[in-house]
């Protein structure tokens, strides 16, 4: 199958501009590939040494950049250099994979300038200063010998006091929410100095001189971190009204951040309107289903007049259908072959039988990550396995387990597996790995990735997977959560919504549990736009599918659409659209 797919892409590229350009894979295309994979990547990591360690690139493990004015100038200079390099390549002569990489890098240039010059998180987010990753990703660099790792960490620790001096100089008018988070996280860092590092040092074979210098650097670093937390607390910088700002970034910045992060064809305001429309459609559909199901499940009770209350009662009743806590993992495992068989039978997308998904218990070191999620190897660990990590409910109290199982009942668990595994994230990953692109592994478009996983949820049910009014009701509830993610993000960041308004949206109109809604609210005060990716991405994919149906008429084939769509890798949907609708 990979061969047929490759041929289809090449054909597409040739049809584009057959007379004027050389075919994809020509000299210009090769030169671009050579630059993006080598000079660009190395400059990127040189400019972002901690991020490099996190991605498994360890050449700069001894370096810690100081986040001061000079550091910011360097980041802008990197954007300028990237832009000038991009200008030296002819976009029209690139292959489709390189065209989308080119667009991702152009967006990187523009968004770096936006983040440095306008967004200026370094002024108001004290939690953006954290040296945890700088230490953690070196210590956990498995291939390197311990002594070498400790020398690198020692060199980074020596930079820590200058790092926090710059942090204190940068911060003016922080938000209370990020200040609280920064205090908590900085205090959490101290565990490296009391537990992790002393044990490693003891186990090492460093010379006495190296050990002494490590200890001195660690002592100074620890002092600087403690002083930073104390400064945030005692200066009360984060807590008096005059010295703080709201976590809400406002309409203008939200609109711009949306454009750079989501990279979609329409504005945040336009997408917001679509989300409101979708919420209305879902509510009316859910009410119709509730009316239909009432006599079957709740005929002894009068149906409440309030439509939202009635829907909630039906959801509560149907949530009783769930697996037992000790069969949670086995249930998920059994659903994998069922999904594969259905997809093959309905010819929805070609699956690769040589790459079955391995379901496993979430490893201890990753514990705390709830539920089930796909864990794929980093970009520099090509041979690593991809797993479907499932956290067994063994450590849950009976109440917590019951509440979790009701949430992931027999209906929702199916949707979760479609989203995370097959044909969601896992299948998308396999397709994107066929045209490996480091650029897309690092800067892949989140709205496309989440959009695909959300798109296939509805696509599978449309195709008949476990179709029933009950399943449809829970799909609607699940989809409503994706819609609400966007509505609450937009409203609290750009429309000044209060916590009460958010809780009303999520609990009353979205049928969520209050605990889940509280968590979501907290997350939405600390980040912006990410929560918009689920709805934005799927909306764009459904619209693209409609457009292709119109264009191809009888010739439209769902399987071909899916395979072509995924063949470009994790590129923004609008860029994929340009290549598909030509
Ligand atoms: Zn139960
Ligand atoms: Zn997802």
């Amino acid at each position: 199958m990979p061969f047929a797919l490759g041929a289809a892409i090449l054909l597409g590229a040739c049809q584009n501009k057959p007379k004027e350009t050389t075919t994809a894979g020509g000299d210009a295309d090769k030169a671009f590939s050579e630059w993006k994979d080598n000079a660009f990547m190395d400059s990127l990591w040189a400019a972002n040494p901690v991020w490099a360690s996190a991605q498994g690139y360890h050449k700069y493990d001894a370096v810690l950049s100081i986040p001061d004015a000079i550091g910011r100038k360097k980041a802008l200079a990197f954007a300028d250099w990237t832009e000038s390099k991009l200008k030296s390549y002819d976009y029209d002569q690139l292959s489709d994979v390189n065209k989308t990489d080119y667009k991702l890098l152009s967006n990187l240039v523009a968004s770096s300038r936006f983040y440095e010059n306008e967004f200026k998180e370094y002024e108001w987010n004290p939690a953006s200063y954290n040296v945890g990753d700088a230490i953690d990703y070196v210590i956990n660099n498995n291939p390197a010998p311990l002594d070498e790792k400790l020398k690198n960490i020692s060199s980074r620790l020596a930079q820590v006091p200058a790092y926090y001096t710059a942090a204190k100089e940068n911060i003016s008018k922080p938000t209370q929410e990020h200040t609280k988070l920064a205090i908590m996280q900085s205090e959490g860092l101290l565990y490296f100095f009391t537990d992790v590092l002393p044990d490693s040092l003891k186990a090492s074979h460093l010379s006495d001189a190296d050990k002494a210098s490590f200890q001195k650097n660690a002592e100074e670093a620890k002092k600087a971190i403690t002083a930073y937390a104390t400064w945030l607390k005692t200066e009360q910088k984060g807590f008096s009204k005059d010295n703080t700002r709201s976590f809400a970034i406002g309409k203008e910045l939200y609109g711009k951040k949306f454009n750079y992060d989501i990279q979609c064809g329409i504005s945040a305001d336009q997408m917001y309107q679509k989300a409101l429309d979708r919420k209305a459609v879902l509510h009316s559909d859910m009410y119709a289903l509730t009316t239909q199901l009432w006599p079957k499940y709740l005929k002894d009770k009068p149906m409440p007049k309030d439509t939202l209350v009635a829907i909630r009662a039906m959801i509560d009743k149907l949530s009783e259908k769930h697996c037992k806590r000790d069969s949670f993992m086995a249930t998920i495992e059994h659903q994998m072959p069922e999904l594969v068989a259905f997809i093959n039978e309905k010819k929805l997308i070609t699956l690769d039988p040589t790459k079955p998904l391995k379901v496993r218990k979430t490893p201890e070191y990753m514990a705390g990550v709830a539920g089930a999620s796909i864990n794929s190897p980093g970009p520099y660990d090509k041979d690593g396995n991809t797993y479907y990590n499932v956290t067994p409910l063994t450590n849950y109290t009976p109440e917590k387990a019951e509440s979790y199982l009701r949430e992931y009942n027999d209906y929702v668990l199916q949707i979760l597996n479609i989203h995370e595994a097959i044909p969601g994230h896992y299948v998308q990953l396999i397709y994107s790995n066929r045209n490996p692109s480091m650029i897309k592994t690092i800067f892949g478009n989140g709205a496309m990735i989440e959009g695909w996983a959300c798109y296939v949820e509805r696509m599978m049910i449309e195709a008949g997977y476990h179709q029933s009014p009950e399943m449809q009701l829970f799909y609607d509830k699940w989809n409503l959560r994706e819609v609400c993610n966007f509505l609450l993000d937009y409203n609290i960041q750009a429309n000044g919504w209060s916590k009460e308004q958010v809780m009303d949206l999520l609990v009353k109109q979205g049928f969520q549990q209050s605990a889940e809604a509280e968590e979501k609210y907290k997350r939405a005060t600390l980040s912006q736009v990410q929560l918009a990716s689920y709805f934005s991405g799927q909306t764009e994919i459904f619209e693209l599918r409609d457009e292709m149906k119109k264009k191809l008429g009888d010739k439209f084939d769902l399987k071909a659409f899916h395979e072509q769509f995924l063949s470009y890798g994790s590129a923004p949907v609008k860029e994929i659209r340009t290549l598909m609708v030509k």
Side-chain angles (χ1 to χ4, degrees):
M1 298 127 354
F3 307 106
L5 202 67
I9 294 166
L10 247 120
L11 199 71
C14 296
Q15 282 165 346
N16 194 11
K17 277 187 174 179
K19 277 174 203 144
E20 299 160 44
T21 67
T22 54
T23 49
D27 288 347
D29 191 55
K30 279 197 193 116
F32 180 77
S33 291
E34 164 70 18
W35 171 74
K36 69 165 189 178
D37 288 338
N38 299 292
F40 172 79
M41 288 315 301
D42 194 63
S43 312
L44 175 74
W45 297 140
N48 301 278
V50 173
W51 189 18
S53 308
Q55 296 290 327
Y57 188 88
H58 294 291
K59 185 172 160 187
Y60 301 106
D61 274 3
V63 185
L64 181 69
S65 317
I66 306 305
D68 56 7
I70 299 168
R72 286 195 290 280
K73 249 191 203 139
K74 277 188 199 160
L76 289 170
F78 178 66
D80 292 345
W81 173 77
T82 306
E83 184 180 49
S84 71
K85 281 291 178 184
L86 285 174
K87 278 188 179 148
S88 73
Y89 298 100
D90 183 354
Y91 174 82
D92 288 332
Q93 299 204 24
L94 302 179
S95 67
D96 283 353
V97 168
N98 276 342
K99 275 190 173 126
T100 46
D101 279 0
Y102 186 102
K103 292 286 186 178
L104 284 170
L105 291 180
S106 308
N107 184 69
L108 175 73
V109 169
S111 73
S112 323
R113 288 175 184 150
F114 164 73
Y115 281 112
E116 295 295 340
N117 298 329
E118 281 184 78
F119 200 64
K120 295 188 176 181
E121 193 167 357
Y122 56 86
E123 286 183 354
W124 50 263
N125 179 3
S128 62
Y129 305 100
N130 186 328
V131 293
D133 286 351
I135 304 169
D136 200 25
Y137 287 114
V138 178
I139 255 308
N140 285 321
N141 166 14
N142 295 324
L146 178 64
D147 290 5
E148 189 191 313
K149 294 197 274 191
L150 288 174
K151 277 185 192 163
N152 285 334
I153 290 176
S154 185
S155 151
R156 275 193 173 165
L157 289 174
Q159 300 298 311
V160 169
Y163 178 96
Y164 283 104
T165 302
K168 287 193 254 184
E169 264 165 32
N170 292 342
I171 293 171
S172 68
K173 286 204 169 214
T175 83
Q176 298 199 6
E177 289 77 9
H178 293 96
T179 305
K180 269 183 212 152
L181 181 69
I183 292 169
M184 213 175 71
Q185 290 185 338
S186 301
E187 287 170 347
L189 281 178
L190 298 177
Y191 129 101
F192 280 112
F193 300 93
T194 53
D195 293 55
V196 181
L197 295 178
D199 287 353
S200 300
L201 198 60
K202 234 179 263 166
S204 76
H205 300 92
L206 291 183
S207 69
D208 287 347
D210 281 345
K211 274 187 185 165
S213 122
F214 185 98
Q215 271 161 336
K216 185 180 146 276
N217 291 342
E219 202 46 52
E220 294 298 319
K222 190 180 156 196
K223 249 192 242 164
I225 295 167
T226 315
Y228 180 60
T230 311
W231 177 76
L232 288 172
K233 275 194 264 185
T234 56
E235 295 284 307
Q236 298 274 302
K237 270 240 170 196
F239 299 99
S240 92
K241 266 264 183 286
D242 295 341
N243 284 333
T244 60
R245 73 182 74 193
S246 158
F247 67 79
I249 60 175
K251 217 171 208 124
E252 199 194 329
L253 282 181
Y254 189 94
K256 289 185 179 174
K257 191 171 197 288
F258 182 88
N259 291 342
Y260 290 121
D261 291 3
I262 303 287
Q263 298 173 62
C264 90
I266 60 172
S267 70
D269 296 349
Q270 288 167 314
M271 194 58 87
Y272 176 64
Q273 204 50 52
K274 286 177 193 277
L276 285 177
D277 293 347
R278 181 73 188 155
K279 185 178 75 153
V281 168
L282 288 170
H283 274 168
S284 104
D285 193 46
M286 290 173 93
Y287 185 62
L289 290 162
T290 298
T291 312
Q292 183 190 346
L293 290 167
W294 199 271
K296 185 173 170 189
Y297 292 98
L298 291 162
K299 63 172 182 310
D300 298 336
K301 289 182 186 159
M303 195 166 127
K305 287 228 167 56
D306 184 324
T307 58
L308 296 179
V309 176
I311 295 170
R312 177 147 215 146
M314 185 50 66
I315 287 172
D316 282 348
K317 177 69 192 164
L318 294 176
S319 299
E320 285 166 12
K321 267 195 90 182
H322 61 72
C323 64
K324 295 207 175 70
R325 63 185 292 177
D326 52 5
S327 63
F328 184 63
M329 258 195 86
T331 308
I332 290 179
E333 247 170 332
H334 284 143
Q335 283 174 12
M336 295 301 129
E338 201 193 326
L339 283 164
V340 170
F342 180 85
I343 289 164
N344 288 337
E345 187 209 317
K346 299 279 177 177
K347 299 190 172 59
L348 298 174
I349 186 166
T350 306
L351 300 172
D352 186 344
T354 64
K355 294 190 167 68
L357 180 55
K358 292 182 185 72
V359 181
R360 70 167 181 186
K361 182 176 167 286
T362 309
E364 290 302 331
Y365 76 92
M366 298 170 81
V369 182
S373 61
I374 288 293
N375 180 245
S376 57
Y380 291 95
D381 182 19
K382 285 198 186 76
D383 302 323
N385 283 318
T386 296
Y387 294 102
Y388 191 16
N389 285 337
V390 178
T391 308
L393 309 176
T394 30
N395 293 329
Y396 284 27
T397 61
E399 295 75 30
K400 206 179 159 200
E402 172 65 16
S403 144
Y404 188 84
L405 290 167
R406 286 178 63 90
E407 184 69 31
Y408 291 95
N409 54 55
D410 287 357
Y411 308 103
V412 174
L413 199 54
Q414 303 281 356
I415 305 171
L416 178 74
N417 289 331
I418 292 170
H419 178 106
E420 295 292 339
I422 300 169
H425 288 316
Y426 179 62
V427 171
Q428 193 261 321
L429 197 70
I430 291 178
Y431 272 81
S432 81
N433 285 343
R434 287 181 186 168
N435 290 299
S437 150
M438 193 62 91
I439 301 297
K440 287 193 193 80
T441 310
I442 312 281
F443 301 106
N445 181 257
M448 182 274 177
I449 295 169
E450 285 307 336
W452 170 259
C454 296
Y455 159 80
V456 293
E457 296 160 0
R458 199 189 310 172
M459 184 278 290
M460 287 288 280
I461 295 171
E462 282 171 354
Y465 191 71
H466 283 250
Q467 210 181 54
S468 69
E470 291 87 342
M471 186 67 172
Q472 187 64 47
L473 182 67
F474 279 102
Y475 168 72
D476 286 355
K477 177 182 185 264
W478 181 269
N479 191 218
L480 188 56
R481 181 162 83 174
E482 294 154 3
V483 172
C484 285
N485 277 346
F486 180 50
L487 291 178
L488 88 103
D489 189 54
Y490 183 87
N491 279 318
I492 78 168
Q493 291 293 340
N495 271 345
W497 263 28
S498 69
K499 186 175 174 184
E500 286 67 35
Q501 286 172 296
V502 172
M503 294 302 277
D504 180 78
L505 173 74
L506 298 186
V507 178
K508 207 169 137 231
Q509 303 178 56
F511 315 106
Q512 298 181 15
Q513 302 297 322
S514 336
E516 186 193 358
E518 292 265 359
E519 276 300 306
K520 194 56 72 63
Y521 174 78
K522 204 175 143 195
R523 175 173 159 194
T525 63
L526 294 170
S527 75
Q528 319 81 19
V529 176
Q530 194 278 329
L531 283 167
S533 61
Y534 307 86
F535 178 72
S536 305
Q538 65 182 294
T539 301
E540 284 198 284
I541 299 175
F542 279 113
E543 286 175 0
L544 172 60
R545 193 177 74 173
D546 287 345
E547 204 174 348
M548 292 301 284
K549 275 184 186 166
K550 235 183 231 155
K551 190 187 157 204
L552 297 173
D554 291 348
K555 290 200 197 84
F556 178 84
D557 177 71
L558 190 58
K559 189 174 179 219
F561 170 76
H562 291 154
E563 292 176 1
Q564 195 188 353
F565 178 80
L566 292 186
S567 70
Y568 305 102
S570 312
V573 180
K574 74 169 174 188
E575 303 304 342
I576 296 178
R577 184 187 164 272
T578 317
L579 297 170
M580 280 180 90
V581 190
K582 59 193 171 195

